Amino acid sequence: LVAEHGPDYIDLAFRSGAFFGFEAAVAGGIPIVRILQQSLAVDSIEEVRGILNGTCNFILSGMAEHRLQRADALREAQALGYAESNPEMDLSGRDTRDKLAILGALAFGQWISPESIPTKGIQEIDLVDLLYAERLDSTIRLLGTGRKTDGRVRLRVSPYVVNRSLPLAHVSGVLNAVETVGRRGGSFLFSGPGAGGDPTAVSVAADILQAVSADSPVGSWNSASLRARAKSAGAKQPLDPDDALPFYLRFTVRDEPGIIASLARILASRNINIDSVLQKPWPDKSNLPFIITVEATPFTTMEKAAAEMASFPFNRKPPLLLPILV
């Protein structure tokens, strides 16, 4: 609701002298809205990224830690009340996308329509991907990421292969985490329960307290600058999709000679450098999974290469393309 209609609510609250609090809309009990609006307001935020959906994080953690298939991890999440009976909003990444739209508005001063944010969920992640990620000293997390450089905003939701040297790789279960990078303050990581009655109630009650104690009915959430950000949403500024990152490519193929050579030709034709090729022993040679990792490449270039590689008849399913966070 806030991601889609936040600019209208903020403008209405500002004009009517009402207080509009939405702390609980992002990351449950983590006070990230207040942090961005108050504690970090004097810094220039250059990057924000985080684990914003506890259901997906629980599923991916269970797959990695207990060697569960995705469907089994989902059933466990539903049995424990962490996933809805229809989990599509979570698994598709749309819940993370909506929360990222709000974070992007607060961090970068541009209220981006959620529909314009490139979004990939976890439906294609298999247990084999977590096993290969381990070989890369990494794990897989569904992240919402945002970056602002030279006035251009990049927002994206995707599963990322996250190196274990990074704090986000160690946020497991239903916990959420948000990392911010400021030009002067540097990096901060905020982690805690992202859902559930008690953590959400803390955020709601904090908004109520802020409303009754504010110097004016409007309060700091509805400052002139935030209203200006909300009103700028009508401009629908386009996102820049071309951030360059290393990538993980997982193929599932009917084993035959010449597969690596065919894939390498496509990568070379687009000036994409291979970093590694990994293939675990696999009993079913008619559905053989292996991975190729490549050095930093623009998203659009990598997506075009993956689409071209998907056309080979030896593929048993489309290649899985994931950015790597190092």
Side-chain angles (χ1 to χ4, degrees):
L1 193 63
V2 178
E4 291 282 355
H5 303 291
D8 297 327
Y9 284 123
I10 290 169
D11 187 57
L12 179 62
F14 190 91
R15 288 187 286 107
S16 61
F19 180 88
F20 178 47
F22 51 95
E23 183 66 74
V26 183
I30 304 173
I32 191 62
V33 172
R34 185 171 287 102
I35 288 167
L36 287 171
Q37 281 294 92
Q38 295 182 349
S39 304
L40 298 180
V42 298
D43 202 353
S44 177
I45 303 299
E46 297 178 334
E47 187 171 357
V48 61
R49 60 193 187 191
I51 296 167
L52 304 174
N53 184 276
T55 299
C56 289
N57 208 48
F58 180 86
I59 291 170
L60 293 173
S61 298
M63 292 172 70
E65 296 167 11
H66 305 295
R67 300 295 193 262
L68 297 176
Q69 297 292 340
R70 185 182 63 253
D72 295 328
L74 171 59
R75 279 192 288 270
E76 183 178 349
Q78 289 172 322
L80 293 171
Y82 296 144
E84 304 284 348
S85 57
N86 179 2
E88 177 63 21
M89 189 76 175
D90 296 320
L91 303 187
S92 67
R94 295 202 308 274
D95 176 73
T96 298
R97 177 202 68 184
D98 291 345
K99 294 168 181 174
L100 180 62
I102 299 169
L103 285 181
L106 298 173
F108 307 128
Q110 294 184 23
W111 204 291
I112 303 295
S113 170
E115 287 75 16
S116 67
I117 299 174
T119 301
K120 179 200 290 283
I122 68 169
Q123 301 99 320
E124 298 175 51
I125 304 297
D126 291 333
L127 176 58
V128 69
D129 296 307
L130 278 302
L131 300 178
Y132 272 124
E134 285 185 6
R135 294 277 296 273
L136 299 171
D137 194 27
S138 301
T139 190
I140 296 176
R141 293 288 183 261
L142 180 69
L143 301 181
T145 64
R147 183 193 301 269
K148 186 174 184 179
T149 54
D150 300 324
R152 307 182 75 180
V153 173
R154 301 181 179 101
L155 301 179
R156 182 175 295 273
V157 173
S158 173
Y160 281 71
V161 177
V162 183
N163 190 272
R164 290 198 175 275
S165 64
L166 300 176
L168 287 173
H170 303 282
V171 178
S172 63
V174 293
L175 293 179
N176 279 196
V178 179
E179 184 177 9
T180 65
V181 180
R183 182 178 303 168
R184 295 172 179 84
S187 175
F188 293 91
L189 181 71
F190 308 94
S191 180
D198 288 344
T200 305
V202 169
S203 289
V204 173
D207 275 345
I208 295 171
L209 181 61
Q210 177 71 19
V212 299
S213 63
D215 292 335
S216 67
V218 174
S220 60
W221 300 152
N222 301 310
S223 65
S225 63
L226 182 56
R227 187 188 185 211
R229 295 176 186 184
K231 290 174 75 66
S232 73
K236 295 196 179 299
Q237 303 180 45
L239 290 174
D240 179 359
D242 247 1
D243 214 6
L245 288 171
F247 282 90
Y248 164 107
L249 282 155
R250 188 254 292 156
F251 299 89
T252 305
V253 302
R254 182 182 64 252
D255 196 20
E256 60 184 52
I259 289 177
I260 298 295
S262 298
L263 299 173
R265 278 196 298 272
I266 290 179
L267 295 172
S269 71
R270 297 181 181 275
N271 296 314
I272 301 171
N273 290 332
I274 293 176
D275 183 52
S276 67
V277 178
L278 294 177
Q279 179 178 323
K280 294 172 66 71
W282 203 257
D284 184 0
K285 298 300 182 181
S286 64
N287 287 280
L288 175 68
F290 70 93
I291 69 165
I292 295 176
T293 64
V294 303
E295 296 178 2
T297 304
F299 260 99
T300 53
T301 300
M302 200 66 241
E303 287 169 340
K304 290 175 183 177
E308 189 175 354
M309 289 186 284
S311 66
F312 286 119
F314 52 69
N315 285 297
R316 303 295 289 181
K317 61 177 68 173
L320 174 67
L321 176 65
L322 301 179
I324 299 175
L325 210 58
V326 293

